[in-house]
Amino acid sequence: MRNIKLTIEYDGSRYQGWTRLGKDESGNTISNKIIEVLRKMTGEYLCELHCGYRTEVGVHAYLQVANFKTECSMTTKEIQHYLNRYLPMDIAVTKVEEKPERFHAQLNALSKTYVYRITIDEVPSVFDRRYIYHSFKIPDKKVMQQAALSLIGTHDFRNFSSVKKSKSTVKTIYDLDIYADIEEMLITIKADDFLHNMARILIGTLLDIGLGIRKKEEIEEIFAGNLPASNPCDPKGLYLQEVSYE
């Protein structure tokens, strides 16, 4: 069996996330669209596709990583061409590589990075409205950066997620950067892993702080369970930027 690594980018606007299991199971997911084409390409129905991180409903990816095992004899370039020919136009395989048998896109991932795009221009572009969140009031970058300092490091992020069951809710945020110019603000979060909706809730909370709806001191109260976190940010501005393996 060959182990094939895929590097993928996608527009998540019309999908129910990378995958949707359990009572909310859906075939309209990124993984399902790829698996359908892989089955057609290889003739192997029992195809398992593992990903670096399962993005949520409406979230995009600049760089997602996945792998599958196959007995297919096609070259990596032929696999890439086949996938891009039959996949929907909002999903693209940018690279195909053959990896050692033990490579696993999820289990071997060391960190994941999300970036959130916010337009703060006076008049938002009509062409970006599906891919960038617009804030009518300019968030206070400085106070957001001060609040972000309390989030960096190893913490129990249960109260910054919608997780119901998990072996551990302790995660490590390696970096949380907030950049802004006169047109756009970017919030970048790099962590060893994210809980369900964790990235969106962290960003939603930071935005509320930047807009003066909450105080930066409330971060510690949310960790302690004395206050609820803010609602998740709009997913249309959120992108999986990178999954790192080294």
Side-chain angles (χ1 to χ4, degrees):
M1 296 287 281
R2 301 164 67 203
N3 192 9
I4 305 297
K5 174 187 174 186
L6 306 176
T7 303
I8 311 159
E9 65 179 21
Y10 50 82
D11 171 356
S13 302
R14 69 186 184 98
Y15 297 103
Q16 295 295 303
W18 174 264
T19 190
R20 199 79 170 173
L21 303 174
K23 65 178 182 179
D24 297 324
E25 185 171 357
S26 170
N28 185 34
T29 62
I30 305 293
S31 63
N32 193 61
K33 297 299 180 184
I34 297 173
I35 288 171
E36 286 177 352
V37 178
L38 289 177
R39 286 173 174 168
K40 181 178 178 181
M41 180 185 77
T42 64
E44 300 162 356
Y45 184 79
L46 298 176
C47 178
E48 286 188 83
L49 186 66
H50 306 285
C51 74
Y53 185 76
R54 295 177 179 178
T55 52
E56 294 147 13
V57 177
V59 176
H60 319 292
Y62 287 126
L63 196 158
Q64 172 70 277
V65 175
N67 77 289
F68 69 98
K69 294 187 177 181
T70 181
E71 293 181 349
C72 172
S73 60
M74 295 170 68
T75 67
T76 54
K77 185 58 68 175
E78 287 171 338
I79 291 172
Q80 182 182 16
H81 287 169
Y82 190 99
L83 288 169
N84 286 327
R85 179 180 179 184
Y86 290 103
L87 281 170
M89 293 296 290
D90 49 10
I91 304 173
V93 176
T94 60
K95 191 174 184 180
V96 177
E97 304 167 79
E98 193 152 354
K99 301 297 284 185
E101 181 183 359
R102 294 178 65 84
F103 174 78
H104 192 288
Q106 179 183 0
L107 299 180
N108 294 152
L110 299 178
S111 67
K112 296 96 177 179
T113 303
Y114 269 115
V115 61
Y116 195 68
R117 300 181 63 191
I118 307 158
T119 176
I120 53 177
D121 205 359
E122 184 176 355
V123 180
S125 167
V126 297
F127 301 109
D128 292 335
R129 69 191 186 281
R130 293 177 59 190
Y131 304 106
I132 306 180
Y133 173 74
H134 177 67
S135 178
F136 289 93
K137 180 181 177 183
I138 299 177
D140 187 328
K141 181 182 73 170
K142 185 176 180 180
V143 74
M144 291 172 69
Q145 289 171 330
Q146 292 169 349
L149 294 175
S150 299
L151 297 168
I152 296 172
T154 302
H155 306 280
D156 186 340
F157 285 96
R158 177 182 294 275
N159 297 329
F160 285 95
S161 75
S162 57
V163 67
K164 294 181 175 63
K165 295 180 181 179
S166 179
K167 292 181 180 179
S168 174
T169 51
V170 175
K171 305 297 177 186
T172 300
I173 291 182
Y174 299 122
D175 190 27
L176 204 169
D177 180 68
I178 301 168
Y179 164 84
D181 56 26
I182 60 173
E183 296 180 349
E184 188 173 356
M185 174 176 281
L186 300 176
I187 302 174
T188 306
I189 308 175
K190 180 179 181 179
D192 62 345
D193 202 5
F194 291 89
L195 300 169
H196 188 253
N197 271 330
M198 176 176 152
R200 290 179 59 206
I201 291 174
L202 286 172
I203 293 164
T205 303
L206 286 171
L207 275 175
D208 280 353
I209 291 170
L211 294 171
I213 298 169
R214 309 189 70 143
K215 298 183 182 299
K216 65 180 185 294
E217 292 79 14
E218 293 185 32
I219 294 289
E220 297 300 336
E221 294 298 310
I222 297 169
F223 273 127
N226 297 327
L227 289 173
S230 297
N231 291 328
C233 65
D234 190 326
K236 69 181 179 183
L238 187 61
Y239 296 76
L240 180 62
Q241 186 178 55
E242 184 180 18
V243 181
S244 298
Y245 293 90
E246 296 179 359

